[in-house]
Amino acid sequence: MKNSAKKVNEENYQPHFVSQAFKVIMGQAEKSSDHAEDPPSSLLNGLEFEIDLMTLVQLPASRLKQTVRFYVEVLELTLSYPERPIESNTFVQTLPKMGPSLHIIESTDSEFRHLHGMVNGNLEAYLAFYAKSLVHLHERLLQAGAEIVMEPSDGFMSFFDPEGHLIGAYERADSEIYDRFESNITGFRHVQMYVADLVRTATFFERTLGCERVISDEDAIYMAVKGSDENQPMIRLIHTGDQPNLQPMHWILDGRPKHALELHSKNIGVLKERVLENGGVVKEDLEFTSCGGYLKFYTPDGHYIWVNQDRRYCGY
């Protein structure tokens, strides 16, 4: 357990605030200024603090329009807001939407980075989808000239998107949910988090966020949102050893860390205290605006995560 958040570069701890421009895009702009509103009189709203949803998975893009076209035209996801121009960021989703959206965010070349990494000599994908048919997906990837890393075998394949992000895909066997989608991609299977100590990090997710272990082996533990809505992805904790520079689950955007994963809780006031009690790091105050609240924290391994509290749970 020698590795800790302190081992991550200090630049990765700088706060990242929600810009006014981004709030305008999301239809969440404040009426008078960029400053967050005062928090509700009581943060302890009496509701459960455990994570109940994964709301967003995010990826950086240096060629935003080309990358969005790939996810829409090749992977056959759909634009969440087709009426909006593809500028600075875009949301895509399954059809129909069930589970988190994928948020693709434009980054400068100097700040862009891949979220996948090397583990024991093997390249490991950060993001993995479920698909109805890998044969269909494989054909579309070949037609688009995408680089296939692992050919379909035993229900799995992997490939690079136009940004060079390594993406995994698993064939979905549960026909009950399979038949409810028009899109071949039927949701996220997991996002990957690199950790120095599997048991320590799994315990943090259990005690702090209320997640549960669903699959465990020597090299990885899968954590799931307990009792969550349908089609929620897992977080795959993968052991990388006691490395001094652990691959973070975020990147730098406009000089500040940008989270790759956003979760939801009904009570971020209590959740903040749980994070601190269990070895997490909170460098920013809770932020409350007219659209809800945000807790921004680092796990014991130094991964930067946001937790949203919907406005209906904030007492407005």
Side-chain angles (χ1 to χ4, degrees):
M1 297 188 190
K2 294 179 182 178
N3 200 16
S4 68
K6 295 180 180 178
K7 296 280 185 116
V8 178
N9 293 336
E10 184 63 27
E11 66 180 5
N12 289 344
Y13 280 107
Q14 298 176 28
H16 186 93
F17 298 99
V18 181
S19 69
Q20 182 74 356
F22 182 71
K23 290 175 182 176
V24 169
I25 291 170
M26 293 299 296
Q28 300 172 346
E30 298 170 84
K31 293 181 180 179
S32 58
S33 74
D34 288 346
H35 298 293
E37 297 178 3
D38 292 334
S41 58
S42 175
L43 299 178
L44 309 182
N45 57 17
L47 298 173
E48 295 180 353
F49 64 88
E50 289 89 350
I51 297 301
D52 53 18
L53 288 173
M54 292 188 192
T55 55
L56 285 178
V57 176
Q58 308 198 116
L59 282 177
S62 60
R63 297 171 292 178
L64 180 65
K65 291 183 179 180
Q66 179 181 347
T67 300
V68 171
R69 280 199 303 271
F70 174 84
Y71 280 90
V72 172
E73 296 176 4
V74 180
L75 299 194
E76 300 173 284
L77 294 169
T78 187
L79 292 170
S80 302
Y81 306 100
E83 72 282 1
R84 296 178 182 172
I86 299 174
E87 297 176 351
S88 73
N89 68 93
T90 299
F91 297 83
V92 295
Q93 63 185 54
T94 60
L95 186 65
K97 185 180 188 302
M98 194 183 302
S101 298
L102 176 63
H103 187 201
I104 305 171
I105 306 172
E106 190 168 46
S107 298
T108 62
D109 289 340
S110 61
E111 292 181 314
F112 174 85
R113 63 173 285 263
H114 297 117
L115 299 179
H116 59 256
M118 192 75 70
V119 180
N120 298 324
N122 297 315
L123 199 59
E124 292 276 351
Y126 162 68
L127 172 62
F129 288 110
Y130 277 122
K132 291 181 184 179
S133 169
L134 292 186
V135 170
H136 177 76
L137 176 60
H138 185 254
E139 288 176 351
R140 294 190 68 83
L141 290 168
L142 290 177
Q143 290 170 3
E147 181 180 349
I148 308 296
V149 177
M150 182 174 290
E151 296 288 336
S153 177
D154 297 325
F156 174 76
M157 69 172 296
S158 61
F159 56 91
F160 286 116
D161 75 1
E163 300 288 346
H165 295 300
L166 181 61
I167 307 297
Y170 291 77
E171 195 154 74
R172 193 159 210 161
D174 45 340
S175 59
E176 182 177 343
I177 196 169
Y178 171 110
D179 295 333
R180 295 164 60 186
F181 288 93
E182 295 177 46
S183 53
N184 185 41
I185 298 296
T186 59
F188 298 100
R189 182 184 188 269
H190 68 259
V191 293
Q192 189 142 270
M193 180 180 288
Y194 304 97
V195 302
D197 188 308
L198 280 175
V199 174
R200 179 190 67 176
T201 305
T203 300
F204 174 83
F205 272 81
E206 289 171 329
R207 292 179 178 175
T208 306
L209 307 181
C211 297
E212 60 182 350
R213 306 184 201 196
V214 291
I215 307 172
S216 298
D217 56 42
E218 291 183 0
D219 299 318
I221 296 176
Y222 289 80
M223 307 299 299
V225 176
K226 190 184 299 182
S228 64
D229 281 3
E230 198 170 20
N231 217 38
Q232 288 287 304
M234 299 175 285
I235 299 175
R236 184 177 189 250
L237 307 177
I238 184 166
H239 181 244
T240 58
D242 188 16
Q243 300 179 3
N245 295 303
L246 201 69
Q247 174 100 338
M249 194 189 197
H250 56 271
W251 74 98
I252 301 301
L253 182 67
D254 297 331
R256 301 182 184 276
K258 183 62 182 174
H259 58 298
L261 179 63
E262 185 169 307
L263 310 172
H264 181 269
S265 167
K266 297 182 180 70
N267 192 335
I268 59 174
V270 171
L271 183 57
K272 175 183 176 180
E273 299 307 312
R274 299 286 295 184
V275 167
L276 295 172
E277 289 169 5
N278 288 284
V281 176
V282 178
K283 292 256 179 173
E284 304 165 69
D285 293 334
L286 295 179
E287 178 183 350
F288 288 91
T289 72
S290 59
C291 58
Y294 291 93
L295 164 66
K296 306 161 189 179
F297 73 92
Y298 294 86
T299 72
D301 290 292
H303 300 292
Y304 186 56
I305 295 175
W306 282 25
V307 182
N308 168 251
Q309 179 176 303
D310 191 85
R311 62 171 295 166
R312 61 188 163 179
Y313 305 118
C314 294
Y316 291 113

